[in-house]
Amino acid sequence: MEHKKITDIGGSFKLHNGVKMPYLGLGTYQADNDQEVIDSVKDALEIGYRHIDTASVYENEAGVGQGIKESPVAREDIFVVSKVWNSEQGYDSTLQSFEDSLERLQLDYLDLFLIHWPVKGKYKETWRALEYLYDQKKVRAIGVSNFLQHHLEDLLTDCNVIPMVNQMEFHPYVVQQDLIDFCNKNTIQYEAWSPFMQGKVFDLDICKELSKKYNKSVAQIILRWNLQKGVVTIPKSVHSNRIATNADIFDFELSNGDVAYLDSLDRGERIGAHPDHFDF
Ligand code: NDP
């Protein structure tokens, strides 16, 4: 997986069903469901992003959909992702949640639908609903988020479709290389959420050092590290200048030593909840 080809902003990694997932996307968590998210989606698409990540719990799917609608980029050229929230899990309620997401987004299919968190006693039923939606061709790929190895092993013993993606907290303080290796071995594409630690990464000395060394911003170093590790990444910004510079990462390459250096910072320090101990 480390040898996946990185070309330009339009590039993608191939999922195990052959669907191409653009490796750089726009995150939208905490982007307001008004002109803010509409403009950031339109700006990202204009700059060349072809992947937008939202979720029902972000309460901004309507704005995301509006941004897509107002953009001149064709729907079929955009990879749109949403997620079923914890309180919506279960078979029928997941099907309903999917339809609600589509309606808010003003779309008739999604490119990827994810189980947001591994809700105990629920996620297998939820997965069956995702398999149904996939069979019905209402979604081009299905996956999970916040699934540790034991959640994946449990699901893999009992599924018809292997998840195509696992979206996880991923940044220098939470690398979880064992989980990445497990996903790679099982053809599950790894994807990073909060690649900037919601802003904290900009204060890390090593990132500042690498920034100087490569003459690129800390944000660019981090995103380039994600891609060189074969990890899809979805940095969030609502500022068009940042959305643009976050995508200016295709004219340099980190050395293997510096990739390993960033990997070595892992200390299992999460900014989000632990997937075994969340209470929402
Ligand atoms: P990020 O790590 O992407 O950090 C976002 C923060 O960084 C914002 O405050 C943003 O500010 C700032 N920022 C962005 N670019 C720059 C830059 N170039 N220079 C300085 N500051 C910058 O955090 P998120 O938690 O938003 O994670 C990314 C995405 O992952 C989410 O938006 C969401 O789509 C997804 N996610 C999924 C989760 C899951 O459970 N599956 C959980 C959390 C997130 P500003 O917007 O003001 O520019």
Side-chain angles (χ1 to χ4, degrees), residues 1 39 56 66 87 113 120 138 149 154 156 173 183 207 211 220 228 241 244 260 262 269 271:
M1 288 277 205
D39 286 345
S56 62
Q66 192 58 31
S87 56
F113 196 46
K120 246 191 221 165
K138 293 198 144 238
Q149 184 167 330
D154 183 42
L156 289 174
Y173 280 180
C183 286
C207 294
S211 164
Q220 291 164 339
Q228 285 185 222
N241 59 328
L262 284 165
E269 202 174 297
I271 54 162

Side-chain angles (χ1 to χ4, degrees), residues 175-272:
V175 175
Q176 302 187 96
Q177 189 63 46
D178 289 354
L179 183 59
I180 297 179
D181 293 342
F182 179 84
C183 286
N184 287 345
K185 213 181 316 147
N186 286 281
T187 68
I188 300 168
Q189 173 63 51
Y190 208 79
E191 178 179 7
W193 64 253
S194 295
F196 300 150
M197 300 165 75
Q198 293 183 346
K200 295 189 190 71
V201 83
F202 304 120
D203 299 328
L204 302 188
D205 285 341
I206 165 156
C207 294
K208 291 186 199 160
E209 271 170 43
L210 291 175
S211 164
K212 255 193 223 142
K213 175 172 172 185
Y214 288 93
N215 199 23
K216 295 298 267 185
S217 69
V218 168
Q220 291 164 339
I221 298 287
I222 289 297
L223 298 176
R224 184 72 205 189
W225 169 61
N226 292 182
L227 298 191
Q228 285 185 222
K229 288 185 65 64
V231 172
V232 169
T233 192
I234 45 171
K236 175 261 177 183
S237 179
V238 293
H239 294 101
S240 59
N241 59 328
R242 289 176 174 174
I243 295 173
T245 59
N246 290 348
D248 183 13
I249 54 174
F250 300 102
D251 59 353
F252 77 111
E253 193 173 335
L254 298 172
S255 70
N256 290 340
D258 287 332
V259 168
Y261 193 16
L262 284 165
D263 289 353
S264 74
L265 299 184
D266 189 9
R267 44 163 99 169
E269 202 174 297
R270 295 171 190 275
I271 54 162

Side-chain angles (χ1 to χ4, degrees), residues 51-71:
H51 167 180
I52 312 289
D53 183 87
T54 184
S56 62
V57 77
Y58 301 169
E59 296 186 340
N60 63 11
E61 289 171 306
V64 168
Q66 192 58 31
I68 291 171
K69 195 173 166 185
E70 289 178 16
S71 158

Side-chain angles (χ1 to χ4, degrees), residues 65 68 75 80 101-110:
I68 291 171
R75 161 68 185 101
V80 184
S101 286
L102 279 188
E103 197 181 321
R104 286 188 292 264
L105 284 157
Q106 304 182 64
L107 298 177
D108 53 12
Y109 71 93
L110 286 185

